[in-house]
Every structure is written in structure tokens, then in C-alpha cells.
């Protein structure tokens, strides 16, 4: 997480532990889907992945508030904002949609539950099937944030806090079937993005001395880590604690916000999120998120032919295959394609190029 090129105002610095937090969030999704496929104990599935998604949403909102809340929304900066969001999301997402359609039509392997008749909805970010559902929701938040930024709301924390309250209210009172309405899922999840935005604004205005807090209150991190385990949906079911839909579950919100804050302050074991392996996992987390389901499906199909490929071995194969594929995807697709798009879409980068020349 770095300062956006060409911006002004208070300098915002990189927060290494949040890179690692993004990686752990992606792993939660992988573990949950592997458990649902019978490769890991069932207690790790059935909702754990949505906790990872919730962490992603809070992190995304934080990034928006942290990087942009203090910047004046000039035309060039708004265009730069959209260029960067496009370069980050589009290349891999469009590739996954295209390859999924190709596999379904040629070899009959369907990685995601959609076909040619609904592909246009994916490309237009109206809705997504399977784990792809989160990408349109993320893009819809980008639209909401850009509007709030342009009208000046994100410069007023109380206004954002009011928006959070409205978002929470929507998540509580809306019927879950709103998910079936194309483009309406953001109404259920917008509160999590806005909570992250509020945290980003607060941190930009009064930066937490994360390392100092983590060193002084490291014991909080250990207690918090234990508490987060008891907030997992599978564990709560074992303890007969009620579990409701993630978007309206206060304990799921507590998990995501608690995990984020512990990562931000690097408290106790969360300091490890700032180390190189965790940070690398965070860098490839987008690929991990979008590519792990095809790997799971291919491993399951292989397991039908290879009787020695048991559940634990299958999960190792999924994990290794996902990480390897994600590393290649990140270096050969995400980074170069994102760089190419940024250079062509970002007016601030083009201006800096002219100055350098």
C-alpha cells in the first residue's frame, strides 16, 4: 500500500502487515472451499470464506479512505483513481471469465456456474457467479466511493459514519433474496467498505504508531487471535452459537474489523503478517482468490482417477497448485497488464512521463 503517484497532501506510507492480512484473507477463502469439497475438516468451511471476503472489503475501504480522503478530487485525480482501479481489477478478471467460457465450451469443464448467456453481465460488472460475485460488488463500491469523494463527503468523518449506519441498517433489514437482483448485492455489503473507509480516514489524519502499539500491547494480539478462532462459523456451530448470513452477522463484522485492527497494529502474532512470506502472499492474493476454484475442480477430477489422492493430499495439491499458478499469473499477467493500462489511462502518470522526458 503506497502513496498514489501524483497526489498531494499528507504523505501516506506503506503498511506491510496489511499486505499479509490480504494474503491470510485469501487463504481463508481457499481453506473454506477446500473444506466444503471434503479436503479438510468441515468445521473450517461453511462460511469461513465469507469472513475472508469481509476482511477484503474492509481492507479495500481502508485503502480508499487512506489514499484519497485527503486529496482534492480534481478531474485528473478522479481519472487517475479509475485508471488504477481498472488496471488492478480488469486484466485478471476478464482473463478468468474468458478462459472459463473456453473450458466450458471445449472440454466441458465448468469452473464457475455461468455460461455465454450470462457472460455479458460479468464483463459489465453487473453480477458474478461463484466466487466471482465479489468483483462486481467491489467495483460498485468504487463507484460509490468516487461519488462520495467528488461531493466531499469523505473529507467529513461524521458523514462517513452516518453512511456506515445507513449501510448497517440496509444489511439488517433487507431480504436476503436481494442477492438475486442483478447489481443489488452491494446494498448488503456496503457497510463493510464504509467501515474500512472510516478507519482509513482516521488513520490518515492521526496515524496509529502501529509498531509501538504492537510491541507494547502484544498480549492483546494473542488474546485476539484466540478470540477470532471462536468467531469462525464452524466453531460457533459446534458451540451452538447462532450463525446468520454474514452480511448481517455482528460477530462476522467483529471478526473482520478485529482482524484488520490487529493486523494494522501488528499486535503479537500479527507482526508476522509484515514478514516477507506473508507480504508475498498478499501481493498474489487477487490471483489466489480468482484461481483457486479452477485448481480445486481440476484436483477433484484428478482424484476420481487417482485413488491414492486422498483428502489431505488433495488439499496440498490445491494449495501448491494455486500458489504456483498465482505466482505466474501475478508476474506474467497482473503486473505487466496493469502497468500497460496505467500508462495509457492514468493522466498523472502521463504527465509525470512528460516531465521526466
Amino acid at each position: 500500500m503506497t502513496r498514489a503517484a501524483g497526489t498531494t497532501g499528507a504523505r501516506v506510507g506503506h503498511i506491510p502487515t496489511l499486505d499479509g492480512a490480504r494474503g491470510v484473507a485469501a487463504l481463508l477463502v481457499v481453506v473454506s472451499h477446500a473444506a466444503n469439497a471434503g479436503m479438510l475438516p468441515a468445521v473450517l468451511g461453511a462460511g469461513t470464506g465469507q469472513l475472508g471476503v469481509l476482511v477484503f472489503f474492509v481492507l479495500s475501504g481502508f485503502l480508499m479512505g487512506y489514499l484519497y480522503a485527503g486529496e482534492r478530487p480534481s478531474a485528473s485525480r478522479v481519472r487517475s483513481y479509475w485508471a488504477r482501479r481498472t488496471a488492478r481489477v480488469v486484466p485478471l478478471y476478464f482473463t478468468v471469465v474468458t478462459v472459463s467460457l473456453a473450458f466450458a465450451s471445449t472440454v466441458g469443464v465448468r469452473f464457475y456456474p455461468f455460461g455465454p448467456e450470462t457472460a455479458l453481465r460479468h464483463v459489465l460488472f453487473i453480477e458474478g457467479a461463484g466466487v466471482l460475485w465479489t468483483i462486481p460488488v467491489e467495483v460498485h463500491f468504487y463507484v460509490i466511493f468516487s461519488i462520495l469523494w467528488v461531493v466531499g463527503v469523505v473529507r467529513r468523518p461524521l458523514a462517513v459514519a452516518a453512511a456506515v449506519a445507513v449501510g448497517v441498517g440496509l444489511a439488517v433489514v433487507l431480504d436476503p433474496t436481494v442477492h438475486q437482483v442483478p447489481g443489488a448485492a452491494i446494498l448488503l455489503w456496503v457497510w463493510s467498505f464504509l467501515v474500512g473507509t472510516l478507519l482509513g480516514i482516521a488513520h490518515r489524519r492521526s496515524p496509529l504508531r502501529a509498531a509501538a502499539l504492537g510491541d507494547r500491547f502484544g498480549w492483546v494480539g494473542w488474546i485476539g487471535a484466540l478470540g477470532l478462532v471462536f468467531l469462525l462459523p464452524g466453531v460457533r456451530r459446534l458451540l451452538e452459537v447462532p450463525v446468520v448470513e454474514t452480511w448481517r452477522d455482528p460477530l462476522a463484522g467483529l471478526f473482520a474489523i478485529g482482524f484488520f485492527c490487529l493486523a494494522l497494529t501488528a499486535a503479537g502474532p500479527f507482526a508476522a503478517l509484515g514478514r516477507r512470506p506473508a507480504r508475498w502472499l498478499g501481493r498474489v492474493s487477487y490471483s489466489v482468490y480468482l484461481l483457486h476454484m479452477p485448481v480445486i475442480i481440476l484436483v477433484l477430477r484428478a482424484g476420481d482417477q487417482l485413488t491414492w489422492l486422498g483428502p489431505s493430499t488433495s488439499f496440498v495439491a490445491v494449495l501448491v497448485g494455486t500458489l504456483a499458478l498465482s505466482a505466474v499469473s501475478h508476474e506474467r499477467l497482473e503486473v505487466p497488464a496493469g502497468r500497460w493500462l496505467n500508462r495509457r489511462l492514468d493522466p498523472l502518470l502521463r504527465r509525470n512521463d512528460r516531465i521526466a522526458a
Side-chain angles (χ1 to χ4, degrees):
M1 183 184 299
T2 55
R3 185 174 183 266
T7 57
T8 59
R11 182 177 181 83
V12 295
H14 189 86
I15 306 175
T17 51
L18 295 188
D19 291 339
R22 187 177 291 107
V24 171
L27 276 185
L28 285 176
V29 178
V30 176
V31 166
S32 180
H33 289 151
N36 292 341
M39 299 177 182
L40 290 172
V43 70
L44 297 175
T48 297
Q50 289 208 341
L51 294 185
V53 168
L54 203 53
V55 172
F56 273 127
F57 289 167
V58 173
L59 278 165
S60 182
F62 176 88
L63 179 64
M64 298 300 100
Y66 188 53
L67 290 181
Y68 296 103
E71 309 299 333
R72 295 190 179 279
S74 64
S76 62
R77 288 195 174 92
V78 173
R79 285 172 57 197
S80 178
Y81 164 87
W82 274 108
R84 291 170 181 276
R85 305 282 71 76
T86 300
R88 180 73 182 97
V89 171
V90 166
L92 180 60
Y93 176 69
F94 277 17
T95 300
V96 167
V97 170
T98 302
V99 171
S100 297
L101 284 173
F103 264 75
S105 60
T106 57
V107 297
V109 178
R110 184 166 293 218
F111 295 140
Y112 296 102
F114 73 92
E117 66 283 356
T118 55
L120 185 60
R121 292 184 179 183
H122 289 70
V123 173
L124 295 179
F125 298 104
I126 296 173
E127 63 179 352
V131 301
L132 301 182
W133 73 268
T134 64
I135 309 304
V137 170
E138 180 97 6
V139 172
H140 296 165
F141 171 71
Y142 293 159
V143 174
I144 292 171
F145 180 85
S146 64
I147 294 171
L148 297 178
W149 184 31
V150 168
V151 301
V153 170
V154 296
R155 299 175 70 87
R156 299 193 297 272
L158 288 179
V160 178
V164 171
V166 172
V168 171
L170 286 172
V172 170
V173 304
L174 282 177
D175 191 293
T177 58
V178 74
H179 259 309
Q180 301 172 10
V181 180
I186 182 62
L187 298 176
L188 301 176
W189 301 92
V190 67
W191 67 268
S192 58
F193 291 102
L194 291 172
V195 166
T197 301
L198 193 61
L199 291 170
I201 295 169
H203 189 66
R204 177 169 179 138
R205 292 190 172 194
S206 301
L208 289 171
R209 304 304 178 202
L213 283 172
D215 291 341
R216 186 173 180 182
F217 300 104
W219 57 272
V220 174
W222 291 101
I223 294 175
L226 180 62
L228 292 178
V229 171
F230 284 98
L231 291 177
L232 294 175
V235 175
R236 288 161 56 189
R237 291 187 182 94
L238 289 177
L239 299 175
E240 299 184 351
V241 177
V243 178
V244 297
E245 296 91 345
T246 303
W247 61 81
R248 69 175 79 200
D249 188 347
L251 294 182
L254 178 62
F255 177 97
I257 297 168
F259 179 88
F260 171 83
C261 291
L262 290 168
L264 180 64
T265 56
F270 292 86
L273 296 177
R275 294 176 184 161
R276 185 173 296 179
R279 292 173 63 188
W280 176 84
L281 185 60
R283 283 196 297 274
V284 301
S285 60
Y286 187 46
S287 287
V288 169
Y289 180 80
L290 287 182
L291 300 177
H292 76 278
M293 279 306 299
V295 175
I296 287 177
I297 290 170
L298 292 175
V299 169
L300 287 174
R301 289 174 66 91
D304 292 338
Q305 307 298 324
L306 305 174
T307 56
W308 55 268
L309 198 61
S312 58
T313 310
S314 295
F315 176 69
V316 172
V318 165
L319 187 60
V320 172
T322 298
L323 293 180
L325 186 60
S326 297
V328 174
S329 167
H330 180 74
E331 295 300 325
R332 301 298 181 183
L333 175 60
E334 283 189 75
V335 171
R339 198 173 285 147
W340 183 86
L341 279 173
N342 263 323
R343 290 293 176 185
R344 281 150 183 80
L345 299 177
D346 192 335
L348 296 179
L349 280 178
R350 290 202 301 271
R351 186 180 68 184
N352 291 341
D353 286 345
R354 288 195 296 270
I355 293 172

